[in-house]
């Protein structure tokens, strides 16, 4: 058995980075080790060398192996796991299939992923009887406050509808994209189960970053990107639907060969792929061949899991390192800027921030937006910061990101939240404290240039 590679700088040899680029934004698109790229290209070569035999016969068997391994990883039956292109597709597929009726309500949170919110709005436009309710809030809040806000919305819908309407589904994250914080998804799933609400969990940042046991969690629907934190090539996400909900999922997006027609529909053509496994459920066959696409990233899941075991030393070691480095790195950057890390209010010494129990963290820049509740004060006695106009905020965030890429060879997402500008940091096994010390110095210089008005050339 091979000896694991130490985390930090020694791990970089396994990845494909340009020596002049420092990847501090793993969370947006992920990246893969060179060994996984080799596996991907081998599958792609096999597909091109004997296209029909590979797609029609070989790929279904390899897909089953990949599904089996990701199901074991999540502690659920293989027959409940399929692959889709990304978490957005997974959420959209579930919502498209659910049989919403007049008066049904879908609840989601203000910090939900933008593409998912747009999908919800699109769905409501096509189903006039369906209504959306957004849980409004701004960080910093605690997990308990988030769960309480959700319960308040559910109770309010019951009161307002006088028994005629109900919350039918709730969409929420495992780890919020922006700001990068852990969400109380476990508690929310339990509330949904108690209230008879479908829990639709957007785990885009989940698999490979935090420990997930779906067998214990028992969500109604769960999807998570594998190409972000698991080191699987883009694009690959797992979609988990427990057996008792699989009858609700009758079509993929787009509708393709596995479509499950209603009993009154005319017969449809059989799928062009072949499988030696006749015991598959209709749900499994539904996602086996969805139009013509390069599905070889799905087949790389076993290789990615093996890399994590043999080179990284296993899942537990990865989770511990990511969380510790995310905390340490954020503290280092905040100290350099004289600001703070996004976490719950009023934590006392020794208290753990539940929001920070993940591989990402969010640090405030000393920049606030005019006319907002921030009013230039962080409320904790730290650096007041300087003001930018509300109309300038989009230009400023783009300018900072462009400077980071073009001048410093790195990238971190910059965004406005609660009247301040923030940066989201991603920990990863190929990063270490020194990388965040460097970033803190860079951001300090960028903020000084920003304060001097250099961004105004872009207005």
């Amino acid at each position: 058995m091979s000896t694991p590679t130490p985390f930090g700088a020694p791990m970089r040899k396994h990845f494909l980075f340009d020596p002049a680029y420092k990847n501090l934004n793993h969370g947006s698109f992920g990246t893969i080790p060179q060994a996984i790229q080799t596996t991907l290209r081998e599958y792609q070569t096999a597909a091109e060398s004997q296209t029909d035999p590979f797609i029609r016969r070989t790929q279904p068997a390899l897909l089953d192996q990949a599904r089996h391994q990701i199901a074991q990883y999540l502690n659920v039956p293989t027959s409940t796991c399929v692959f889709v292109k990304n978490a957005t597709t997974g959420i959209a597929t579930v919502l498209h299939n659910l049989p919403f009726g007049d008066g049904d309500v879908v609840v989601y949170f203000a910090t939900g992923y933008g593409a998912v919110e747009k999908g919800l709005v699109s769905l409501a436009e096509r189903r006039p009887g369906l209504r959306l309710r957004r849980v409004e809030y701004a960080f910093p809040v605690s997990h308990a406050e988030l769960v309480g806000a959700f319960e308040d919305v559910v109770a309010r819908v019951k009161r307002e509808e006088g028994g005629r309407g109900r919350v039918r589904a709730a969409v929420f994250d495992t780890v919020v994209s922006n700001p990068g914080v852990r969400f109380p998804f476990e508690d929310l799933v339990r509330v949904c189960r108690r209230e008879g609400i479908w829990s639709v969990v957007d785990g885009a940042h989940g698999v490979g970053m935090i420990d997930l046991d779906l067998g214990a969690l028992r969500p109604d629907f769960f999807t998570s990107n594998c190409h972000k934190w698991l080191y699987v090539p883009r694009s690959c996400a797992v979609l988990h639907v427990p057996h008792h909900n699989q009858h609700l999922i009758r079509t993929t997006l787009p509708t393709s060969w596995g479509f499950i027609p209603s009993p009154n529909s005319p017969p449809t053509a059989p799928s062009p792929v072949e499988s030696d496994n006749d015991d598959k459920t209709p749900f499994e066959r539904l996602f086996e061949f969805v139009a013509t696409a390069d599905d070889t990233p799905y087949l790389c899941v076993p290789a990615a899991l093996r890399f994590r075991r043999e080179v990284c030393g296993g899942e537990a070691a990865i989770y511990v390192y990511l969380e510790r480095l995310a905390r340490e790195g954020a503290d280092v950057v905040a100290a350099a800027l004289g600001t703070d890390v996004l976490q719950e209010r009023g934590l006392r010494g020794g208290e753990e921030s539940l929001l920070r129990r993940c591989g990402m963290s969010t640090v405030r820049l000393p920049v606030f937006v005019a006319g907002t509740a921030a009013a230039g004060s962080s409320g904790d006695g730290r650096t007041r910061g300087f003001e930018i106009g509300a109309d300038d905020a989009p230009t400023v965030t783009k300018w900072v990101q462009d400077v980071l890429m073009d001048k410093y060879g790195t990238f971190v997402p910059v965004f406005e939240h609660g009247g301040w500008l923030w940066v989201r940091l991603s920990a990863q096994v190929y990063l270490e404290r020194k990388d965040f010390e460097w970033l803190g110095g860079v951001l300090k210089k960028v903020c000084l240039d920003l304060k001097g008005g250099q961004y105004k050339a872009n207005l």
Side-chain angles (χ1 to χ4, degrees), residues 289-364:
F289 183 70
V290 182
T292 300
D294 182 3
D295 290 342
T296 52
Y298 302 168
L299 313 182
C300 295
V301 167
L305 292 174
R306 184 169 58 252
F307 177 88
R308 293 167 70 86
R309 286 193 307 271
E310 296 178 359
V311 179
C312 298
E315 296 300 314
I318 295 171
Y319 301 148
V320 168
Y321 186 79
L322 294 186
E323 183 176 332
R324 186 177 70 235
L325 183 60
R327 288 175 178 270
E328 185 177 354
D331 290 343
V332 164
V333 172
L337 296 173
T339 60
D340 42 43
V341 182
L342 185 61
Q343 59 185 25
E344 299 87 336
R345 301 183 191 91
L347 288 180
R348 295 182 177 87
E351 282 189 288
E352 181 183 51
S353 169
L354 298 180
L355 295 174
R356 295 177 68 179
R357 289 206 59 208
C358 62
M360 295 195 298
S361 53
T362 302
V363 176
R364 184 171 60 86

Side-chain angles (χ1 to χ4, degrees), residues 55-77:
I55 293 177
R56 294 175 186 271
R57 295 177 178 171
T58 306
Q59 183 166 279
L62 293 172
L63 189 62
D64 288 347
Q65 294 174 21
R67 290 194 308 110
H68 177 68
Q69 291 206 20
I70 197 67
Q72 282 189 320
Y73 179 90
L74 294 171
N75 190 31
V76 289

Side-chain angles (χ1 to χ4, degrees), residues 209-263:
M209 187 218 275
I210 58 176
D211 191 12
L212 291 168
D213 184 342
L214 299 190
L217 182 64
R218 295 188 294 136
D220 288 303
F221 305 93
F222 176 92
T223 188
S224 182
N225 290 318
C226 299
H227 60 248
K228 283 186 183 286
W229 297 89
L230 199 69
Y231 313 143
V232 175
R234 293 178 293 272
S235 295
C236 175
V238 60
L239 172 61
H240 162 69
V241 180
H243 293 130
H244 64 271
N245 283 332
Q246 289 186 3
H247 68 284
L248 299 170
I249 308 298
R250 296 176 47 232
T251 182
T252 55
L253 292 181
T255 298
S256 195
W257 292 98
F259 171 65
I260 304 169
S262 70

Side-chain angles (χ1 to χ4, degrees), residues 4 11 417:
M11 185 63 74
H417 184 79

Side-chain angles (χ1 to χ4, degrees), residues 4 6 16 101 125 151 200 202 207 259 265 290 309 323 342 344 373 394 402 409 411:
L16 297 155
E125 287 179 355
E151 291 175 318
V200 183
D202 180 358
V207 167
F259 171 65
S265 297
V290 182
R309 286 193 307 271
E323 183 176 332
L342 185 61
E344 299 87 336
D402 286 345
F411 185 92

Side-chain angles (χ1 to χ4, degrees), residues 25 121 416 431:
N25 184 36
V121 172
E416 179 188 352
L431 297 173

Side-chain angles (χ1 to χ4, degrees), residues 145-161:
E145 289 171 319
L146 286 165
V147 174
F150 175 70
E151 291 175 318
D152 288 346
V153 168
V154 172
R156 198 175 306 128
V157 169
K158 290 179 180 178
R159 290 195 303 270
E160 292 173 358
E161 296 300 323

Side-chain angles (χ1 to χ4, degrees), residues 109 139-151 173-176 181-188 343-345 352-358:
F109 287 79
F139 287 110
V141 295
S142 68
H143 276 192
E145 289 171 319
L146 286 165
V147 174
F150 175 70
E151 291 175 318
D173 301 286
T174 51
V175 176
V176 176
V181 296
R182 182 166 177 150
F183 219 58
F185 64 95
E186 300 98 332
D187 292 333
L188 290 169
Q343 59 185 25
E344 299 87 336
R345 301 183 191 91
E352 181 183 51
S353 169
L354 298 180
L355 295 174
R356 295 177 68 179
R357 289 206 59 208
C358 62

